[in-house]
Each structure stands twice: as structure tokens, then as C-alpha cells.
Amino acid sequence: EGNVVGLLGTIEDVTERKVAEDLLKQSAATSRNLAKRGELLNQLSTQIRQSLKLESIQQTTVSEVRQLFTVDRTLIYRFDSDWNGQVVVESTAEKQSSLLSDTGISNSHFHRQYVNKYQQGESYAIADTTALDLDSQHKEYLHNLSVKAVLVVPILVEDNLWGLLMVHQCSETREWKSDERDLLKAIAGQVGMAIHQASLLAKARESATLAEEKAQQLKATLQTLKQAQTQLVQTEKMSSLGQMVAGIAHEINNPVNFIHGNLKPLEGY
């Protein structure tokens, strides 16, 4: 009579289906993220390879990586022959201090300890600089820069350690994901290849310049040799002419002297 007196229904366990749907959604999201990151990596690689100038490659890298990872600072740290180093280029968010003029003594000392690991391609990640047991000098160095999280990957050029690609998170701590580390490694690999190509191009241009200079020197030498040869021929001609004139003078002087010497005796006779 229009009143509810009970319920009649069926029950079906859809847990497995829901789990499968959730996994499928996660997989789809992961695939989209991977595709997006792959596209960004390709774009960055294209931008890097558009210019084979080392300074342009480095500046493009740090600018794009900072935007891609949404971090406060991105920098490239280059090693020298004794494994000290310095920041050669950086991209920073507003109100973040610059490290270009920084001697980086503490930083150099810290990274020298990890040269062997970097040489093997290993990365270095710190999710919370305040919680990790770091070297006191390096911890103070990061604290002065307000760095709360760090991710470092090596830049290898022909399997040789050239430098480091580093990102700093200053606003908050950050748990670096494995795909972020892999992406930064891939970018560092692209940078290493671009640096190698830029180095080869610079050497090729230098060789071409040297070859051009040598060609100009050879041309000048040939011109000088040609002039010397012309002068030598002219000298030989003048020498031959001098010998001929001397011979003619000798042939004329002999009878003239004979006549001159006999004028007085001729007058006497």
C-alpha cells in the first residue's frame, strides 16, 4: 500500500574488478606521464642540438630543466683537472641567490668524495638536507643557500666525467621519484653528447683555421720564393752582361793603351 516493509536485492563482489580498474587508471596515468616526459625530453634534445655552442647548450639545459622539474635552482657544475670544480651556468627562480660567483670550496670538497661513483654514472639524491647526516661543512653550505632537497646526476663525455647536472629545491623538502632521476639522467646524457659534438666542431674549426693559416703562409712563402727566383735570374743576367762589357772594354783598352804609349816615340821618330 505504498509503504516500505522490506528490501529485496542481490550482492556481487566487485573488488577484483575495481582493483583492475584502478590499476588500469594508474597504468594509463603513468603512460601519459611517460609520454609527456618523453615529448619534453625530445623537445629539450632538439633545442640543445639546434646550437653546437657550448655556452648555448648549457644555458638551454638549465633553463628547460628548471621549468620541467619545477625547482628553484638548476645548475651545471664542471670539474677541472684536479677534481675541484665550479658552477659554470645556472637558472634560478626569483629571490634565489646566484652561485656563479661562489668559490664553492665546500661543494668542491663534497663532490670530490663521489667522483668514482659519478664516473660510474650513479646519481645522488637528498630528499631532506636537514634530516640527512651530511658532512658539516657541506650541510652548512646547503643551509646558507636554503637548499632543502638536492638531485645530482653526472654529465659524462665519452665515458669520462665532465661535470654534474644539479637541481635544488629550496621552498620545501622533496622526495625524488625514480622516473625523475631517470629523466634527469637522460637529459644529462643528451648534454654529454651535445658537449662532445660541440667539442668536435670546435676542434674541426680550429683545424680548419690552422690549415687556412698554413695555406696563407705557404702562399706567402711561394710568392717570396718566386720573387727570389726572379731576382736571381735578373742577377745572373746582369752578371753575364757585366762579364761581356768587361771583355769588350779589355779588348778596346789594349790597342788604345798601345797607341797611347807609342805617341811620344812616334813624335821623336
Side-chain angles (χ1 to χ4, degrees):
E1 297 178 354
N3 297 318
V4 178
V5 295
L7 294 175
L8 176 64
T10 61
I11 298 176
E12 180 182 0
D13 189 354
V14 295
T15 303
E16 293 182 358
R17 188 176 70 188
K18 294 297 293 184
V19 169
E21 289 177 354
D22 291 340
L23 290 176
L24 184 60
K25 290 179 181 179
Q26 293 176 7
S27 177
T30 302
S31 298
R32 285 194 299 270
N33 290 334
L34 290 175
K36 183 178 180 180
R37 291 183 181 276
E39 182 181 357
L40 292 173
L41 177 59
N42 289 334
Q43 291 177 357
L44 177 59
S45 301
T46 301
Q47 293 180 21
I48 290 174
R49 294 175 184 276
Q50 283 178 349
S51 173
L52 288 178
K53 293 182 180 180
L54 183 58
E55 295 80 6
S56 178
I57 292 171
Q58 294 175 341
Q59 190 61 59
T60 299
T61 300
V62 294
S63 298
E64 293 296 326
V65 167
R66 188 174 69 83
Q67 295 181 13
L68 177 61
F69 282 78
T70 317
V71 291
D72 298 307
R73 181 188 293 109
T74 303
L75 57 90
I76 290 180
Y77 178 91
R78 184 173 183 180
F79 288 107
D80 52 27
S81 57
D82 59 357
W83 298 116
N84 285 313
Q86 62 179 354
V87 177
V88 293
V89 66
E90 69 176 354
S91 175
T92 60
E94 295 182 1
K95 299 182 181 180
Q96 295 299 328
S97 58
S98 174
L99 301 183
L100 290 177
S101 59
D102 183 22
T103 58
I105 297 175
S106 300
N107 219 21
S108 296
H109 175 72
F110 176 78
H111 289 300
R112 282 201 306 270
Q113 302 176 13
Y114 292 87
V115 165
N116 292 332
K117 292 184 177 181
Y118 291 144
Q119 185 71 59
Q120 300 301 321
E122 295 185 22
S123 60
Y124 184 82
I126 303 177
D128 186 355
T129 57
T130 60
L132 198 63
D133 184 16
L134 294 173
D135 176 83
S136 58
Q137 286 185 338
H138 186 62
K139 193 170 185 177
E140 182 181 0
Y141 178 80
L142 295 176
H143 175 72
N144 292 336
L145 296 175
S146 302
V147 177
K148 292 184 172 56
V150 181
L151 178 59
V152 182
V153 297
I155 299 175
L156 301 176
V157 178
E158 288 192 302
D159 296 328
N160 295 316
L161 182 59
W162 182 91
L164 303 172
L165 177 58
M166 306 169 59
V167 294
H168 290 170
Q169 188 74 45
C170 301
S171 57
E172 58 186 357
T173 59
R174 179 167 177 171
E175 194 71 36
W176 303 103
K177 299 178 182 178
S178 59
D179 59 338
E180 291 178 330
R181 300 174 69 163
D182 292 340
L183 179 59
L184 197 62
K185 282 184 179 180
I187 294 173
Q190 294 290 331
V191 173
M193 288 189 291
I195 291 174
H196 178 54
Q197 291 178 352
S199 177
L200 291 178
L201 179 61
K203 289 180 180 179
R205 287 176 175 172
E206 183 179 357
S207 298
T209 301
L210 291 175
E212 181 66 22
E213 291 177 355
K214 289 183 179 179
Q216 293 296 332
Q217 292 175 0
L218 180 59
K219 185 178 180 180
T221 302
L222 290 175
Q223 186 66 25
T224 302
L225 182 60
K226 185 177 180 180
Q227 293 176 356
Q229 186 178 13
T230 302
Q231 186 176 1
L232 180 61
V233 171
Q234 188 68 20
T235 302
E236 288 293 330
K237 289 181 179 180
M238 295 302 294
S239 177
S240 299
L241 181 60
Q243 291 179 1
M244 183 183 70
V245 172
I248 294 175
H250 180 70
E251 293 299 328
I252 293 176
N253 282 338
N254 283 338
V256 169
N257 287 334
F258 177 76
I259 294 172
H260 182 268
N262 286 281
L263 285 180
K264 290 185 178 181
L266 181 61
E267 289 177 353
Y269 288 124

